[in-house]
Amino acid sequence: MSENAPAGSSAAVRCLTYIDSRIAFVERQILAISVMLMALNTVGNVIARIGFSSSLFFAEEFNRFLIVLVTFVGASTAARYGRHIRMSAITDVLPAKPRKVMMTIIALVTAALLFALAIFSISYLLSLYQSNRLTPSLRIPVYLIYSFVPLGLLLTAIQYVFAAAANILRPGVHLSYTVKDMESDGSSSM
């Protein structure tokens, strides 16, 4: 722990690390199962087309649902590993302290925007729920398919809050809770 770290930050870091590891576990399970289902669905559809001259009636719709799921849950995973696209021309030339402040501000603003988007998406989800729309093939309520949008946005926002916390509670500059910016150490990030 750094001498400059706030009192009690060790307990805070342990708590955040535990929460992050639980979220990461759930995300990995969701992503792994979704990708496997997508592959099975696609292979099954190809076999049906070649072997029976007819596609599975639900294949495209089911894959579309899984793509929404993987996209929004995967956004959180990308944030956890500092893999989102970032514009770093300004922050790369800053000294360590201003760079750390800038990364904290960027993480907090990004988290606030993602929380706002999550709220808007919940509002949209409620309107979908009230519309009673069903998907054409599987006859699943449309709101169920898009229910992973606010979840993914919330999880990603949490990752950015964690990134800000890492910059506040830990020494060095952090791209995410688990990834330290190697540029701040003087070494290459690639």
Side-chain angles (χ1 to χ4, degrees):
M1 241 331 113
S2 168
E3 296 168 6
N4 300 335
S9 65
S10 178
V13 168
R14 282 194 307 273
C15 181
L16 290 175
T17 300
Y18 176 78
I19 292 168
D20 185 56
S21 68
R22 297 301 117 214
I23 292 172
F25 175 79
V26 171
E27 287 173 353
R28 279 193 306 270
Q29 301 311 307
I30 290 172
L31 292 172
I33 291 168
S34 297
V35 170
M36 284 190 280
L37 286 173
M38 221 183 301
L40 288 171
N41 184 45
T42 302
V43 168
N45 193 39
V46 168
I47 291 169
R49 249 191 326 222
I50 291 171
F52 305 104
S53 299
S54 178
S55 292
L56 300 173
F57 73 95
F58 60 85
E60 182 183 345
E61 194 172 283
F62 187 60
N63 272 356
R64 188 173 301 150
F65 164 71
L66 292 170
I67 288 170
V68 169
L69 176 64
V70 167
T71 298
F72 284 93
V73 174
S76 177
T77 301
R80 169 175 293 102
Y81 297 110
R83 295 296 187 186
H84 278 290
I85 295 172
R86 59 190 175 95
M87 305 297 274
S88 62
I90 294 172
T91 57
D92 283 351
V93 297
L94 292 175
K97 188 125 179 136
R99 182 185 185 121
K100 185 178 185 97
V101 169
M102 181 73 94
M103 294 302 281
T104 303
I105 291 168
I106 289 169
L108 290 173
V109 169
T110 303
L113 289 171
L114 287 165
F115 279 126
L117 285 172
I119 291 168
F120 290 134
S121 69
I122 290 169
S123 173
Y124 178 68
L125 203 58
L126 291 173
S127 71
L128 282 177
Y129 175 77
Q130 292 170 347
S131 74
N132 293 323
R133 286 180 41 204
L134 301 174
T135 61
S137 298
L138 294 173
R139 311 300 294 162
I140 297 171
V142 172
Y143 76 90
L144 288 177
I145 291 172
Y146 293 107
S147 63
F148 285 100
V149 173
L151 174 67
L153 290 168
L154 285 171
L155 290 173
T156 308
I158 289 168
Q159 287 304 314
Y160 280 102
V161 169
F162 282 13
N167 279 306
I168 293 168
L169 299 173
R170 294 177 170 166
V173 179
H174 296 268
L175 299 177
S176 72
Y177 187 72
T178 59
V179 177
K180 190 172 183 180
D181 187 0
M182 299 315 243
E183 292 290 325
S184 67
D185 292 338
S187 57
S188 174
S189 62
M190 286 291 178

